[in-house]
């Protein structure tokens, strides 16, 4: 079972460049999330989606955009990359409900130089 | 706002030692509580969960009890192994607001032979 798949695993960007982090899940989950993980800071929510065509901002959305055209895919777009966006990015998905498990991808390590 | 606080790491233990990682939360309602584990180079995976007060979650020798009176969900294991070396995250979740997980900052555990 593939679960949640993120691509790429690693990427180096120059300041001002843009890129899209891909995330796809094969579990038919309605809920999908993007988090960033910085050392000693835990995971911070960037954007989330409760279904196709519906997205909402999380805690740290500035500098990012998302779309959700299908249940399976939830890409994260970085426009005008900045050094502050150097981080590890995780995509996750789950079914609805407070007590259900969220499944995480392997992460994308992004460095902006 | 809702938040989770974990004891700071890194925590270094000898094999077969007793482990406690403290976690406390602040929430306006009654969330579900989770412990996730992140092994080196991997994404997060669910370790255990509890969905209401006095529930005990357990898995792989780890345990945590949902204590509403102290707003705590401390992780314990009676005898750690080298293979338990990882980063542990405490998190809370409500069914509303897109079911987003709110994470603590993570606690790194290193177990020495």
């Amino acid at each position: 079972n593939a679960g949640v798949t993120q691509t790429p695993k690693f990427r180096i960007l120059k300041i001002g460049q843009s890129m899209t982090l891909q995330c796809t899940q094969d579990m038919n989950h309605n809920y999908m999330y993007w988090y960033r993980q910085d050392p000693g800071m835990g995971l911070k929510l960037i954007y989330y989606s409760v279904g196709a065509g519906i997205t909402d901002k999380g805690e740290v959305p500035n500098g990012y955009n998302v779309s959700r055209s299908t249940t399976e895919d939830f890409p994260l777009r970085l426009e005008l990359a900045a050094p502050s966006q150097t981080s590890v990015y995780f995509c996750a998905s789950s079914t609805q409900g407070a007590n259900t498990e969220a499944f995480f991808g392997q992460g994308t390590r992004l460095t902006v130089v | 706002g809702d938040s989770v606080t974990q004891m700071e790491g890194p925590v270094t233990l000898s094999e077969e030692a007793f482990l406690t990682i403290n976690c406390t939360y602040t929430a306006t309602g009654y969330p579900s509580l989770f412990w996730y584990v992140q092994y080196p180079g991997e994404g997060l995976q669910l370790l255990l969960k509890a969905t209401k007060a006095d529930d005990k979650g357990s898995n792989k020798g780890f345990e945590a009890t949902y204590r509403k009176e102290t707003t705590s969900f401390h992780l314990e294991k009676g005898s750690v192994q080298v293979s338990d070396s990882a980063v542990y995250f405490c998190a809370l979740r409500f069914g509303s607001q897109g079911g987003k997980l709110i994470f603590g900052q993570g606690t790194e555990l290193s177990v020495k032979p």
Side-chain angles (χ1 to χ4, degrees), chain A residues 30-35 44-69 73-77 92, chain B residues 95-101:
Chain A
N30 282 334
Y31 288 11
M32 295 188 74
Y33 312 88
W34 275 106
Y35 288 90
K44 302 294 185 185
L45 183 65
I46 305 171
Y47 271 95
Y48 66 98
S49 169
V50 299
I54 306 170
T55 62
D56 210 344
K57 295 178 180 179
E59 196 177 352
V60 290
N62 291 344
Y64 307 94
N65 279 300
V66 293
S67 60
R68 184 94 182 271
S69 57
D73 300 308
F74 191 41
L76 178 71
R77 178 84 177 160
Chain B
S96 60
Q97 303 176 56
K100 54 192 175 187
L101 281 158

Side-chain angles (χ1 to χ4, degrees), chain A residues 73-95:
Chain A
D73 300 308
F74 191 41
L76 178 71
R77 178 84 177 160
L78 279 71
E79 305 283 1
L80 297 174
S84 60
Q85 293 178 305
T86 294
S87 188
V88 181
Y89 292 83
F90 288 100
C91 180
S93 73
S94 77
T95 56

Side-chain angles (χ1 to χ4, degrees), chain B residues 9 31 39 45 65 75 83 90 97:
Chain B
Y39 298 104
Q45 55 186 275
T65 301
L75 182 68
S83 57
C90 185
Q97 303 176 56

